[in-house]
């Protein structure tokens, strides 16, 4: 009988233990510091953009893919879609806020050109959403 009175208490304790909350996962920005190429074929929602490492070989032919090359010292090279299809790489800087998971990219004039929230980052995938 005594064991039965402990059961509700044990269940309440188990329910109150916080689970693995994906929002509180720490993003390891050391993984970010490489070349990332847009993989729009994998896109399953309008909000989430998917990027793969620069050594990823499975991309079908495409007229343009966004590319980011993150450097250790906060510098970045990013692809620019030119109106005449003469796409080029531009230089800028980047910063990441670990609390908000917001990644900001600035051009060489220190103007913010992109702002993303990192949803997932592993050595195989970068998933981001654009913040407007």
């Amino acid at each position: 009988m005594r064991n039965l009175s402990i059961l509700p208490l044990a269940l309440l304790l188990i329910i109150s233990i916080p689970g693995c909350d994906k929002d509180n996962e720490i993003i390891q920005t050391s993984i970010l510091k490489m070349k990332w190429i847009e993989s729009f074929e994998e896109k399953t929602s309008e909000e989430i953009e998917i990027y793969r490492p620069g050594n990823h070989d499975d991309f079908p032919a495409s007229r343009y893919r966004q590319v980011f090359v993150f450097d250790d010292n906060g510098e970045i090279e990013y692809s620019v879609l030119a109106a005449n299809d003469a796409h080029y790489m531009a230089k800028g800087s980047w910063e990441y806020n670990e609390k908000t998971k917001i990644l900001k990219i600035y051009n060489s004039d220190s103007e913010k050109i992109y702002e993303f929230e990192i949803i997932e980052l592993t050595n195989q995938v970068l998933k981001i959403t654009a913040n407007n």
Side-chain angles (χ1 to χ4, degrees), residues 7 13 15 21 39 51 62 65 72 80 86 90 96 108 116:
L7 184 61
L13 183 62
I15 291 171
D21 187 1
S39 180
Y51 288 76
S62 173
R65 290 182 188 278
D72 283 336
V80 177
Y96 178 69
S108 59
F116 303 111

Side-chain angles (χ1 to χ4, degrees), residues 32-55:
L32 186 63
K33 299 170 186 172
M34 67 169 83
K35 181 178 184 179
W36 293 95
I37 302 172
E38 183 179 16
S39 180
F40 50 80
E41 296 85 0
E42 296 182 78
K43 200 170 181 176
T44 58
S45 77
E46 285 298 313
E47 298 84 32
I48 297 176
E49 298 176 28
I50 299 175
Y51 288 76
R52 293 290 178 177
N55 60 0

Side-chain angles (χ1 to χ4, degrees), residues 13-77:
L13 183 62
I14 290 171
I15 291 171
S16 67
I17 295 173
C20 179
D21 187 1
K22 231 171 166 29
D23 288 341
N24 291 329
E25 285 183 11
I26 295 174
I27 302 292
Q28 294 181 358
T29 55
S30 60
I31 298 173
L32 186 63
K33 299 170 186 172
M34 67 169 83
K35 181 178 184 179
W36 293 95
I37 302 172
E38 183 179 16
S39 180
F40 50 80
E41 296 85 0
E42 296 182 78
K43 200 170 181 176
T44 58
S45 77
E46 285 298 313
E47 298 84 32
I48 297 176
E49 298 176 28
I50 299 175
Y51 288 76
R52 293 290 178 177
N55 60 0
H56 191 72
D57 297 339
D58 297 334
F59 292 119
S62 173
R63 291 180 61 114
Y64 179 77
R65 290 182 188 278
Q66 180 69 58
V67 176
F68 295 110
V69 183
F70 294 89
D71 200 351
D72 283 336
N73 56 3
E75 294 179 0
I76 190 169
E77 284 190 73

Side-chain angles (χ1 to χ4, degrees), residues 63-127:
R63 291 180 61 114
Y64 179 77
R65 290 182 188 278
Q66 180 69 58
V67 176
F68 295 110
V69 183
F70 294 89
D71 200 351
D72 283 336
N73 56 3
E75 294 179 0
I76 190 169
E77 284 190 73
Y78 56 92
S79 59
V80 177
L81 176 60
N84 64 355
D85 276 348
H87 315 307
Y88 61 94
M89 296 297 284
K91 293 185 183 237
S93 61
W94 65 278
E95 65 182 31
Y96 178 69
N97 183 313
E98 289 183 12
K99 283 188 174 185
T100 62
K101 298 182 181 175
I102 300 297
L103 170 67
K104 295 179 183 178
I105 298 175
Y106 302 91
N107 64 16
S108 59
D109 294 327
S110 299
E111 299 167 328
K112 183 175 67 173
I113 55 172
Y114 297 108
E115 183 173 313
F116 303 111
E117 179 180 352
I118 295 180
I119 304 301
E120 181 181 345
L121 176 61
T122 70
N123 60 356
Q124 294 299 313
V125 68
L126 168 62
K127 293 183 181 180

